[in-house]
Amino acid sequence: MSAEIRIDAGRLWGSLMEMAKIGATPKGGVKRLTLTDLDRQGRDQFVSWCQAAGLSVSVDGVGNIFARRAGRNNALPPIVSGSHLDTQPSGGRFDGCYGVMAALEVARTFNERGIETEAPFEVAMWTNEEGSRFLPVMGASGAFAGAHTVEEILAARDLDGVSFGDALHAIGYAGTAPVGGRRLGAYFEAHIEQGPLLENTGNTVGVVTGALGQRWFEVTVRGMDAHAGPTPMHLRRDALYGASFLIQEVNRLAKLTEHSRGTVGMILNRPNSRNVVPGETQFSIDFRDTEVAGLDRMEQGIRAAAKKISDEQGLAIELRQTVFFPPCHFDAGCVAAVRAGAQQLGCRHMDIVSGAGHDAVHIAGVAPTAMIFVPCEGGISHNEIENAKPEDLVAGCNVLLQAVLEKAGR
Ligand SMILES: [Zn+2]
C-alpha cells in the first residue's frame, strides 16, 4: 500500500501556471501552436525541469520527448505517462499540459521520497496532438504506434506551405531516437475531461475505459443554380434544401443510442447568394460511437437517406469518408490500476468513455493503456476560458502516481 505518498500540490500548480505563461493570451488562455517558437520555449522549459529532476531526456525523429527515470531493473520496459504541450489557436491552460506536468510531478515526488521503482518510469511529451497546424491530429503518437509512417508525418504542410520536418528542424527538436519500435510496460495519460459528466455528477476522477470510435464524411450535394423568383418550387434542384434533410438525419440517427454522436459542424453553400437557389452544398459529418457496429449503423442510415433524398429531389449526393479511428477499449489491468488508485485515495470516481481523441488512443495499439480524467469547469475546453480546480488536478495526479507505482513495482 502506498496511498500515504502524495504529490506536491503547490509544485504541480506552479508548473502549470509557469507553462501557461508561454503563449499566454489576453483572455487568460494559451496559444502555443505546434513547432512554433513558442512551442520551442515550452519544450525548453519542460526539458530543463526534467534535467533538474535528474531525468535523462531523449527526442525522437518526430520530436516526441521522453524523460527517463531509471528503475531497479532497466531491462524491463518502462512505465510511461504524458500528454502534449501544443494547444489550439484559442486554447486553454490545461488541455495536454496537465498530463505532461502531472507525469513530471510523479517523477519529482519519487525523487523527493527516495522511491525506487522496479521498472523505469518515463515522462512523455507527444508532438502535434491538436492537429491544428499540421494534419493528421495525434500524428506523432500515431507514428510512434505505427499508425502513420515517419515520412508521412514529416511531409505534412501547414497553410503557409511549411513542412512539419522543416518546422521541427527550425526549433531544434528533430531528434535522433528511433520513432517507436520499443516496448512500453504501460502508458497512462491524465487529462481534463473536456466534457460535463464529472462536474454534473460530482465526481473528482474519471476512470477512462476507452474512447469513442470516429468516422467522418465530406458530403457534397449537387443540384442546379436557379433564379429565386422565376423558378417554380417543383422545378428546383435545391442542394441546400436537400442537405437540410441529411443534417436532420445525422442528428436523428445519433440520438437512437446513448453512446452515439453525430455532428454537422462545417457547411459550404454555393453560390451563397440571397436570391439564388443553391446549386451545390458541402458539409462535414462527424459520427462517433463506442462500437464499430454503431458507426456502421449510422453510416448505413445516412447513405440510405442520401439515396432517398437524391431520388426524390433530383440531386447528386456523394459521401466521402475522410477520417476513421476505430473505437478504443483500454487495457483492463491499467483501467483497474486507475480505479484502485482512486479507491485507495477516497476520490469520488466513475467509469467514463472519452468522446475526444487523445495520444493514448494511438498508444493503446502498442501498449497496455488507460487514462485518468479530472473535471473542467462547465465541461469547456478548446477555449481560452478553460478552467480546472487545483484540488481536482491534484487528486488526478495522486491517482496517476498510484497507478504508475502499481505497474512499475516497488
Ligand atoms: Zn489534449
Side-chain angles (χ1 to χ4, degrees):
M1 181 63 101
S2 32
E4 76 285 359
I5 304 163
R6 291 290 195 284
I7 60 116
D8 184 328
R11 187 170 53 198
L12 173 65
W13 184 254
S15 304
L16 282 164
M17 291 307 105
E18 206 51 39
M19 192 57 86
K21 287 181 187 165
I22 303 173
T25 62
K27 287 186 192 157
V30 177
K31 179 183 181 181
R32 199 166 50 230
L33 293 185
T34 194
L35 307 185
T36 57
D37 193 64
L38 286 170
D39 185 18
R40 177 193 61 75
Q41 291 173 42
R43 287 162 178 261
D44 288 354
Q45 175 67 270
F46 168 60
V47 166
S48 78
W49 282 336
C50 290
Q51 285 164 343
L55 309 179
S56 42
V57 175
S58 64
V59 183
D60 74 13
V62 290
N64 294 322
I65 303 175
F66 303 93
R68 183 177 172 103
R69 186 175 185 273
R72 205 175 295 119
N73 179 357
N74 291 304
L76 289 173
I79 306 307
V80 180
S81 180
S83 193
H84 58 97
L85 288 178
D86 68 320
T87 74
Q88 290 284 333
S90 55
R93 297 173 294 171
F94 304 102
D95 176 2
C97 186
Y98 170 58
V100 182
M101 294 303 114
L104 175 61
E105 179 54 36
V106 167
R108 287 166 160 173
T109 304
F110 287 166
N111 286 348
E112 206 165 64
R113 300 292 294 263
I115 291 167
E116 197 179 9
T117 54
E118 188 65 21
F121 173 58
E122 290 184 18
V123 182
M125 189 236 67
W126 308 105
T127 303
N128 187 33
E129 191 271 349
E130 296 289 0
S132 112
R133 184 176 173 200
F134 299 102
L135 289 173
V137 299
M138 305 178 279
S141 56
F144 184 92
H148 305 294
T149 65
V150 171
E151 294 69 32
E152 179 191 337
I153 296 303
L154 296 179
R157 287 182 189 275
D158 68 8
L159 290 175
D160 298 323
V162 179
S163 77
F164 183 114
D166 287 345
L168 184 62
H169 268 282
I171 66 160
Y173 277 88
T176 52
V179 179
R182 63 189 179 105
R183 266 186 73 208
L184 311 184
Y187 176 72
F188 293 102
E189 182 165 345
H191 207 282
I192 56 168
E193 182 199 346
Q194 305 180 287
L197 290 178
L198 293 175
E199 191 179 74
N200 286 353
T201 54
N203 281 289
T204 308
V205 163
V207 178
V208 188
T209 57
L212 298 181
Q214 306 185 27
R215 189 174 279 156
W216 297 11
F217 293 94
E218 197 77 21
V219 184
T220 309
V221 181
R222 289 192 186 86
M224 184 141 81
D225 300 3
H227 198 298
T231 319
M233 300 310 286
H234 72 282
L235 291 180
R236 295 179 179 201
R237 291 164 59 215
D238 183 334
L240 179 58
Y241 179 64
S244 73
F245 286 83
L246 298 179
I247 294 169
Q248 301 258 338
E249 185 65 5
V250 166
N251 283 268
R252 193 191 67 81
L253 289 165
K255 283 174 183 162
L256 294 178
T257 71
E258 193 198 335
H259 283 303
S260 300
R261 312 265 191 277
T263 304
V264 175
M266 191 276 299
I267 184 161
L268 292 170
N269 187 52
R270 293 189 192 92
N272 216 30
S273 174
R274 284 179 181 78
N275 53 358
V276 180
V277 175
E280 183 178 305
T281 303
Q282 224 179 53
F283 62 95
S284 60
I285 300 176
D286 172 333
F287 281 134
R288 303 190 188 207
D289 200 282
T290 48
E291 307 300 330
V292 171
L295 296 173
D296 291 346
R297 175 186 67 79
M298 291 188 284
E299 175 172 359
Q300 282 153 17
I302 201 67
R303 284 194 186 279
K307 170 88 175 60
K308 182 164 173 282
I309 299 300
S310 156
D311 291 348
E312 285 174 3
Q313 301 187 20
L315 301 164
I317 304 177
E318 189 190 317
L319 274 89
R320 191 170 61 86
Q321 183 179 309
T322 51
V323 167
F324 176 63
F325 283 108
C328 167
H329 302 280
F330 287 147
D331 175 73
C334 289
V335 171
V338 171
R339 195 180 291 118
Q343 274 160 358
Q344 280 168 30
L345 295 163
C347 298
R348 270 199 75 173
H349 60 92
M350 68 182 281
D351 284 6
I352 191 167
V353 175
S354 174
H358 292 287
D359 293 310
V361 171
H362 275 312
I363 304 308
V366 290
T369 294
M371 291 187 75
I372 300 161
F373 277 175
V374 296
C376 57
E377 201 176 291
I380 297 166
S381 178
H382 285 186
N383 190 315
E384 290 162 271
I385 63 166
E386 178 186 280
N387 203 9
K389 291 200 191 100
E391 59 268 33
D392 292 340
L393 297 167
V394 168
C397 188
N398 276 316
V399 170
L400 174 66
L401 182 143
Q402 296 299 323
V404 167
L405 266 187
E406 182 183 323
K407 286 293 170 185
R410 278 185 80 177

